Amino acid sequence: MSTAPAPTPAPLPTPAPFTADDYKARMERAAASAADAGLAGLLVAPGPDLVWLTGYRPTALTERLTVLVLAAGQDPVLVVPTLEAPDAERAVGAPALTLRDWTDGKDPYAVTAPLLDVSGRFAVSDNAWATHLLGLQKALPDTSYVALGEALPMLRAVKDDAELARLTAAGAAADAAYEEIQHAAFAGRRETDVAADLAELLRRFGHSQVDFTVVGSGPNGANPHHEAGERVIGHGDMVVLDFGGLLHGYGSDTSRTVHVGEPTDEERRVHDIVREAQAAGCAAVRPGATCQDVDRAARAVITEAGYGEYFIHRTGHGIGVTTHEPPYMIEGEEQPLVPGMCFSVEPGIYLPGRFGVRIEDIVTVTDDGVRRLNATAREMAIVG
């Protein structure tokens, strides 16, 4: 990577590991939330929900059934294949649950069925295999099921202090990557080259996982989810940078739009409109406001400036153990904001065939307003 050295921020303290008691409290809260929603319980397959609830992440995702059964008034049970039981026993949350294993050649649904209310309605994690759900339905034909994301969309939305510390560290690391990428050469290099630089920087500043490095130059910037390609970035290009991943198991996600050389008056004006919209969206964040209030505040600025038809996505999404999760800042979402919720505010304008602009911060709702977890300058940066 061709860069001049940039100041390295002092590293934030490494957060204390989650404990079995932390996972126990989450499982109890999840079971209680399910009961409050009129559900018999939760069935959680391998994926982000299982990691958040137990700390267990199977080393391999296979066709063998693994499922966490949660219900108010009964101990949590994790059903696992026998050959994966040793790994499950080592999970931090394992002391807070009971393991039941099953061997190849046996019916895993016969092991699971006795744990369920024979006529109950259960929420099932969104990434559960259809094969497993159908197997349970066959074993218990009077049960019914609903997607966890539909039944309890806010289950992971409100972060505690330990989670906020992780998200703060992830945001600071992404900021450090952005500060340094501005010293890299843009003109004459491919989008994929700059994307590789961003990935390297995220890892250098502590990320264990890089989820995306969007580099949209010139007309490619008008595609919000453009994947970095072989286009050579040229002088006069606007370049949308959108990147993030996981640090300490929690996500970062930030966007800034830079320009190679001096921008035109129109490019600067569009960037200023998006910057104003992003500020308006952040200013709308406070306890008691709704998700759609944030979208409306940002969208109104862009619409009033005459670019409403070019703002083609929601204003934001939640973030936590995944970089995209509920809540969503979009018209029609009346979920009230409460302290501890964390999500992006990322309006944009996308002019087909010409250029795009997006500015994104992760924010958290505080007791009296909002705190940004990204602190880099939102003014247009000029790069070489």
Side-chain angles (χ1 to χ4, degrees):
M1 179 171 58
S2 173
T3 65
T8 299
L12 293 172
T14 300
F18 293 126
T19 67
D21 286 341
D22 293 324
Y23 291 115
K24 181 176 185 289
R26 291 178 187 176
M27 287 188 279
E28 289 175 347
R29 176 154 60 92
S33 296
D36 290 344
L39 298 168
L42 303 179
L43 305 178
V44 184
D49 292 311
L50 187 63
V51 173
W52 183 76
L53 286 163
T54 69
Y56 177 49
R57 187 191 304 272
T59 54
L61 296 179
T62 73
E63 73 285 356
R64 295 182 175 93
L65 176 70
T66 294
V67 63
L68 174 69
V69 180
L70 295 178
Q74 70 182 50
D75 292 337
V77 178
L78 181 63
V79 178
V80 296
T82 300
L83 75 170
E84 295 175 12
D87 288 339
E89 289 170 349
R90 286 192 288 269
V92 177
L97 52 79
T98 298
L99 254 63
R100 293 198 182 174
D101 63 322
W102 60 277
T103 58
D104 284 353
K106 302 296 184 181
D107 182 358
Y109 309 109
V111 176
T112 309
L115 305 173
L116 309 186
D117 181 334
V118 296
S119 58
R121 181 170 176 79
F122 295 87
V124 181
S125 55
D126 296 1
N127 55 338
W129 285 33
T131 301
H132 298 154
L133 182 56
L134 291 170
L136 286 173
Q137 286 181 315
K138 184 177 180 180
L140 296 169
D142 292 331
T143 53
S144 59
Y145 304 90
V146 63
L148 178 57
E150 176 185 342
L152 299 173
M154 297 298 113
L155 182 63
R156 304 194 323 250
V158 178
K159 274 62 180 181
D160 60 26
D161 289 345
E163 292 179 292
L164 285 171
R166 287 162 168 77
L167 286 164
T168 299
D175 282 356
Y178 174 66
E179 294 286 3
E180 191 153 338
I181 197 67
Q182 294 176 61
H183 299 274
F186 278 71
R189 301 175 72 213
R190 298 170 300 174
E191 292 174 341
T192 51
D193 296 328
V194 177
D197 288 352
L198 279 170
E200 176 189 336
L201 287 167
L202 286 171
R203 293 190 181 96
R204 182 190 304 175
F205 289 107
H207 280 64
S208 60
Q209 176 177 311
V210 176
D211 286 348
F212 50 88
T213 51
V214 173
V215 179
S217 64
N220 289 341
N223 175 0
H225 283 172
H226 170 71
E227 290 193 11
E230 297 303 304
R231 184 180 186 274
V232 176
I233 301 170
H235 188 83
D237 278 346
M238 193 86 86
V239 185
V240 178
L241 306 174
D242 181 1
F243 50 96
L246 298 183
L247 188 153
H248 303 311
Y250 280 73
S252 69
D253 185 1
T254 188
S255 300
R256 294 292 185 264
T257 303
V258 303
H259 198 277
V260 185
E262 287 298 317
T264 65
D265 289 344
E266 180 190 20
E267 289 170 331
R268 192 175 291 281
R269 182 172 66 255
V270 170
H271 191 280
D272 286 345
I273 292 167
V274 174
R275 183 159 56 91
E276 182 183 347
Q278 206 264 349
C282 289
V285 177
R286 62 186 182 280
T290 65
C291 293
Q292 69 179 3
D293 290 338
V294 180
D295 183 83
R296 288 173 175 176
R299 199 169 299 276
V301 172
I302 292 174
T303 299
E304 289 168 9
Y307 289 91
E309 66 183 294
Y310 302 110
F311 181 9
I312 57 176
H313 56 71
R314 64 197 176 202
T315 293
H317 58 81
I319 190 168
V321 294
T322 58
T323 47
H324 281 213
E325 61 186 44
Y328 299 105
M329 307 301 113
I330 190 169
E331 181 66 32
E333 179 51 79
E334 298 180 350
Q335 168 68 41
L337 303 180
V338 299
M341 281 185 177
C342 297
F343 49 85
S344 66
V345 180
E346 51 176 308
I349 292 175
Y350 308 93
L351 303 179
R354 301 183 62 204
F355 64 88
V357 175
R358 181 164 65 259
I359 300 172
E360 173 185 15
D361 291 327
I362 299 301
V363 305
T364 184
V365 185
T366 65
D367 289 337
D368 57 2
V370 63
R371 175 168 68 92
R372 296 180 191 248
L373 302 188
N374 296 105
T376 54
R378 296 163 195 94
E379 291 77 17
M380 186 191 301
I382 307 301
V383 297

